[in-house]
């Protein structure tokens, strides 16, 4: 103030830490009767409202005149408050016969800063001297102003502009929005931390066919609760109407996945199903089409959606998975641009007994021995139960005392009824398997009821050679196939790979060797020679011939 940084400058100085005023020069009374020095006091408050009177600060003044005289006593008074508002009152209370006074306020502080000018004036008889000091009050803001939505801007989303008189950037200024009337949660609203704008956006698509518009309400508060002594606060609701624009929705199949059943080997053109699609936009005009159909199994009528077979279906096709075949279907509407819906037709193909059991191998090698030797045979049927196993194996032709089936090899199903084990064919087993203890004879031909595997037995009356053994293999329903099993019999004690040498040569050479050896035996009588017979069973004259 005057005498410090205002004219006349350099007369006075103030110790900022102790508040002491020093005089450095003489002062011309005729020029300056009063020097006004301002003292700035900065104080922070946490409470912004008070109904009874809240203490702000205590100030003190001094007078060097005799305190027992009017010249040395003074009164403190608030000269002015800036800014002036009707919602708050500042007042000062001075303790009697003291030089201190306390500043109080009533009401609610509405601004960030208040400047209070305080005057200390003595009670002099002739001249009353005075000086002033300034108290600067900075308010730590509480939420005593409500945010207000002042404008709306529509782009891809809705922007809500907010104004708030509380301190910028504080929790009392930052907006927090809520949406009313959106129980399906189609929308969300977030606050831009820089501008305090509300950003309303769509998070889930709406259906124009269900509603063409949606009426919402948005309320806005702050991150901290609103603070008011005057009235009960209820958030203001701002109405918003959202319009829904129609787009071309694709047709939808009813149902989207349809499962149908058909038996394999059904005739071409067999009816499967009639497709049905609906379109919310009412632009679908029965335009059906076929999508993925790997083996071209079906035809689809584009107008009616009728699905029929395009060929005879085979359950054993490698294109099936778990006996099912899948076709994709399309429904195309007449929108601009057109929109396509996709459906799935799952075809379950039922099994028929259209396959016969087939031997897994049609040739094998067996060794000469003094007793019978065996080799196992296995068959496979592509049909499912009950059209597959257990299989029946039967030897065809004249096989007596040369070849037979061993029914004791493998296991067969057993069914228990009233604790009695009864052998049944063509049904599913309900108990564990058991071994068949003896051969089962049918028309003097040995057969074996097995699961899939049986033993072929070579009697010791079969000698070296290559034999064709016809075998009839029947499935559980009696369908059968007759296959020739080629059996090569060799003396394995001479070479374990005799059959490999035989197969690498020609059949003519093998037969010629047998003829040469036979001729040599006839000439030598009792001499030893090699023998290997092909085809028919050897005569008894050759049974004791040893092979080299």
């Amino acid at each position: 103030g005057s005498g410090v940084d205002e004219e006349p400058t350099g007369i006075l100085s103030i110790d900022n830490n102790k508040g002491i005023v020093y005089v450095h020069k003489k002062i011309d009374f005729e020029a300056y009767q009063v020097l006004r020095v301002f003292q700035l006091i900065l104080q922070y408050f946490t409470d912004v409202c008070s109904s009874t009177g809240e203490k702000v600060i205590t100030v003190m003044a001094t007078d060097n005149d005799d305190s027992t005289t009017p010249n040395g006593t003074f009164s403190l008074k608030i000269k002015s408050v800036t800014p002036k508002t009707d919602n708050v009152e500042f007042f000062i209370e001075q303790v009697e016969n003291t030089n201190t006074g306390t500043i109080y306020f009533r009401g609610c502080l509405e601004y960030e800063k208040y400047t209070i000018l305080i005057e200390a004036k003595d009670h002099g008889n002739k001249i009353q001297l005075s000086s002033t000091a300034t108290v600067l009050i900075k308010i730590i803001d509480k939420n005593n102003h409500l945010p207000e939505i002042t404008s709306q801007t529509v782009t891809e989303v809705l922007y809500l502009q907010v104004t708030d008189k509380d301190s910028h950037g504080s929790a009392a200024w930052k907006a927090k929005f809520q949406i009313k009337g959106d129980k399906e949660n189609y929308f969300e609203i977030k606050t831009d931390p820089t501008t305090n704008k509300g950003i309303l956006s769509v998070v889930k698509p709406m259906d124009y066919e269900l509603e063409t518009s949606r009426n919402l309400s948005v309320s806005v508060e702050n991150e901290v609760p609103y603070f008011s002594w005057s009235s009960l606060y209820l958030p203001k609701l701002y109405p918003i109407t959202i319009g829904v624009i129609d787009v071309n929705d694709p047709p939808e199949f009813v149902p989207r996945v349809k499962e149908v059943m058909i038996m394999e080997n059904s005739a071409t053109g067999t009816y499967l199903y009639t497709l049905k699609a609906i379109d919310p936009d009412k632009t679908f005009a029965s335009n059906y089409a076929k999508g993925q159909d790997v083996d071209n199994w079906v035809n689809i009528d584009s107008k009616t959606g009728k699905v029929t077979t395009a060929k005879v279906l085979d359950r054993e096709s490698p294109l099936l998975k778990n006996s099912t075949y899948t076709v994709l279907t399309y429904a195309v509407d007449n929108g601009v641009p057109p929109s396509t819906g996709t459906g799935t037709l799952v075809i379950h193909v039922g099994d028929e007994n259209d396959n016969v059991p087939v031997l897994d191998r049609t040739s094998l090698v067996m060794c000469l021995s003094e007793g019978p030797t065996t080799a196992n045979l296995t068959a496979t049927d592509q049909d499912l139960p009950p059209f597959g196993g257990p299989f029946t194996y039967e030897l065809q032709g004249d096989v007596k005392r040369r070849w037979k089936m061993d029914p004791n090899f493998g296991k067969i199903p057993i069914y228990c009824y009233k604790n009695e084990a009864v052998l049944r064919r063509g049904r599913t087993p309900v108990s564990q398997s058991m071994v068949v203890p003896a051969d089962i004879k049918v028309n003097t031909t040995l057969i074996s009821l097995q699961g899939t595997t049986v033993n072929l037995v070579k009697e010791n009356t079969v000698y070296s050679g290559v034999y064709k053994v016809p075998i009839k293999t029947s499935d559980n329903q009696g369908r059968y196939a007759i296959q020739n099993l080629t059996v090569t019999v060799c003396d394995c004690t001479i070479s374990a790979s005799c059959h490999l040498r035989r197969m690498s040569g020609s059949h003519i050479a093998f037969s010629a060797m047998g003829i040469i050896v036979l001729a040599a035996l006839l000439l030598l009588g009792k001499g030893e020679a090699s023998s290997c017979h092909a085809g028919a069973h050897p005569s008894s004259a050759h049974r004791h011939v040893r092979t080299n």
Side-chain angles (χ1 to χ4, degrees):
S2 300
V4 182
D5 55 2
E6 297 178 6
E7 292 295 335
T9 59
I11 302 298
L12 305 175
S13 67
I14 300 174
D15 186 324
N16 291 330
N17 295 322
K18 297 180 180 180
I20 299 175
V21 179
Y22 297 96
V23 180
H24 301 286
K25 297 180 182 179
K26 294 180 180 181
I27 305 173
D28 186 354
F29 177 80
E30 283 69 28
Y32 300 98
Q33 287 83 27
V34 177
L35 294 178
R36 297 182 182 277
V37 179
F38 296 89
Q39 181 183 11
L40 297 180
I41 301 174
L42 188 62
Q43 181 70 32
Y44 295 87
F45 289 91
T46 57
D47 291 333
V48 294
C49 286
S50 174
S51 60
T52 58
E54 184 74 19
K55 177 181 177 181
V56 178
I57 193 173
T58 298
V59 296
M60 180 181 66
T62 60
D63 193 323
N64 291 329
D65 291 324
D66 187 354
S67 61
T68 62
T69 66
N71 293 332
T73 60
F74 54 85
S75 298
L76 298 174
K77 179 182 179 181
I78 294 179
K79 293 287 290 184
S80 66
V81 177
T82 306
K84 187 176 181 180
T85 175
D86 295 334
N87 293 331
V88 64
E89 175 192 5
F90 288 94
F91 59 94
I92 188 169
E93 291 184 356
Q94 182 178 356
V95 180
E96 188 177 356
N97 299 323
T98 66
N99 58 355
T100 62
T102 301
I103 299 175
Y104 298 89
F105 79 92
R106 283 189 293 262
C108 292
L109 304 176
E110 296 182 351
Y111 296 91
E112 295 182 10
K113 295 179 182 179
Y114 287 87
T115 302
I116 302 176
L117 183 63
I118 304 172
E119 179 188 61
K121 188 174 184 179
D122 66 24
H123 303 149
N125 293 324
K126 295 181 179 181
I127 301 176
Q128 294 180 343
L129 301 178
S130 65
S131 66
T132 59
T134 301
V135 176
L136 179 63
I137 301 175
K138 184 176 181 181
I139 308 301
I140 296 179
D141 194 18
K142 279 194 173 181
N143 189 17
N144 61 324
H145 292 91
L146 296 175
E148 295 181 2
I149 297 176
T150 56
S151 65
Q152 301 176 9
T153 304
V154 179
T155 55
E156 293 183 358
V157 290
L158 182 66
Y159 291 92
L160 306 175
Q161 182 63 57
V162 174
T163 59
D164 194 316
K165 295 180 181 179
D166 291 311
S167 299
H168 185 89
S170 67
W173 174 84
K174 293 179 179 179
K176 183 175 66 175
F177 298 87
Q178 284 188 342
I179 302 174
K180 310 293 184 181
D182 182 32
K183 61 181 180 180
E184 300 90 348
N185 297 320
Y186 286 127
F187 306 93
E188 71 174 6
I189 188 166
K190 295 181 179 180
T191 304
D192 186 316
T194 303
T195 64
N196 221 20
K197 288 181 179 180
I199 305 173
L200 180 68
S201 56
V202 180
V203 295
K204 190 169 67 174
M206 300 180 67
D207 192 343
Y208 178 85
E209 283 68 36
L210 296 180
E211 55 182 334
T212 58
S213 64
R214 170 62 66 92
N215 294 320
L216 304 176
S217 296
V218 175
S219 65
V220 58
E221 299 178 79
N222 297 113
E223 291 185 357
V224 295
Y226 175 64
F227 189 88
S228 174
W229 289 90
S230 58
S231 62
L232 180 65
Y233 163 66
L234 291 176
K236 181 179 178 180
L237 295 179
Y238 296 85
I240 297 174
T241 300
I242 304 295
V244 183
I245 300 175
D246 189 23
V247 296
N248 186 18
D249 297 309
E252 297 179 0
F253 280 96
V254 182
R256 295 191 64 178
V257 178
K258 178 62 179 179
E259 301 187 34
V260 297
M261 176 73 184
I262 187 174
M263 295 301 297
E264 66 173 333
N265 303 315
S266 297
T268 301
T270 300
Y271 171 79
L272 288 173
Y273 177 66
T274 298
L275 301 173
K276 181 182 179 181
I278 59 175
D279 188 356
D281 298 319
K282 313 300 182 185
T283 59
F284 177 61
S286 300
N287 189 12
Y288 296 97
K290 183 172 65 172
Q292 184 183 42
D293 180 8
V294 178
D295 201 27
N296 195 29
W297 273 26
V298 302
N299 292 321
I300 298 178
D301 188 298
S302 63
K303 297 301 180 183
T304 65
K306 182 179 179 181
V307 184
T308 56
T309 59
K311 59 173 59 176
V312 176
L313 310 186
D314 182 13
R315 191 205 66 83
E316 287 74 38
S317 169
L319 299 175
L320 271 69
K321 183 177 181 180
N322 297 327
S323 300
T324 61
Y325 182 83
T326 301
V327 177
L328 292 183
T329 58
Y330 296 145
V332 185
D333 64 19
N334 295 327
V336 179
S339 187
T340 302
T342 303
T344 303
L345 182 64
V346 180
I347 303 173
H348 295 268
V349 183
D351 191 24
E352 286 190 344
N353 193 12
D354 56 347
N355 293 280
V356 295
V358 178
L359 294 175
D360 289 352
R361 56 177 176 168
T362 57
S363 64
L364 56 85
V365 176
M366 301 182 74
C367 294
L368 284 173
S369 64
E370 294 182 356
T373 56
T374 62
N376 66 72
L377 299 177
T378 302
T380 302
D381 192 328
Q382 295 187 52
D383 292 322
L384 297 174
F387 304 128
F391 302 138
T392 300
Y393 299 86
E394 301 179 59
L395 294 172
Q396 303 294 298
D398 184 13
V399 295
K400 189 175 182 180
R401 295 193 302 276
R402 289 185 295 169
W403 309 93
K404 69 176 181 178
M405 293 293 187
D406 180 6
N408 293 324
F409 182 87
K411 297 182 179 181
I412 62 173
I414 293 298
Y415 302 87
C416 296
Y417 300 94
K418 297 181 180 179
N419 299 324
E420 294 181 2
V422 181
L423 182 64
R424 303 288 297 275
R425 292 179 55 189
R427 297 189 182 180
T428 304
V430 294
S431 66
Q432 294 183 349
S433 300
M434 68 174 292
V435 176
V436 178
D439 294 346
I440 301 175
K441 296 183 179 181
V442 178
N443 297 329
T444 70
T445 302
L446 293 176
I447 67 172
S448 173
L449 295 178
Q450 302 292 341
T452 58
T453 305
V454 71
N455 256 6
L456 174 66
V457 181
K458 178 190 73 65
E459 301 286 4
N460 58 3
T461 56
V462 178
Y463 299 97
S464 297
V466 180
Y467 300 88
K468 299 292 184 182
V469 181
I471 299 178
K472 178 182 178 181
T473 309
S474 304
D475 64 18
N476 201 23
Q477 303 297 320
R479 289 181 61 89
Y480 66 89
I482 298 177
Q483 295 174 271
N484 284 326
L485 178 67
T486 301
V487 183
T488 302
V489 181
C490 293
D491 188 350
C492 299
T493 60
I494 298 176
S495 174
S497 60
C498 62
H499 63 289
L500 296 177
R501 293 201 307 272
R502 174 205 166 271
M503 294 177 68
S504 63
S506 65
H507 291 284
I508 298 175
F510 192 97
S511 301
M513 180 63 72
I515 295 172
I516 294 171
V517 172
L518 179 59
L521 289 174
L522 293 174
L523 291 174
L524 296 177
K526 296 182 180 180
E528 294 183 352
S530 298
S531 175
C532 193
H533 298 277
H537 181 68
S539 65
S540 59
H542 301 101
R543 288 184 182 178
H544 301 290
V545 177
R546 295 177 59 190
T547 58
N548 294 328

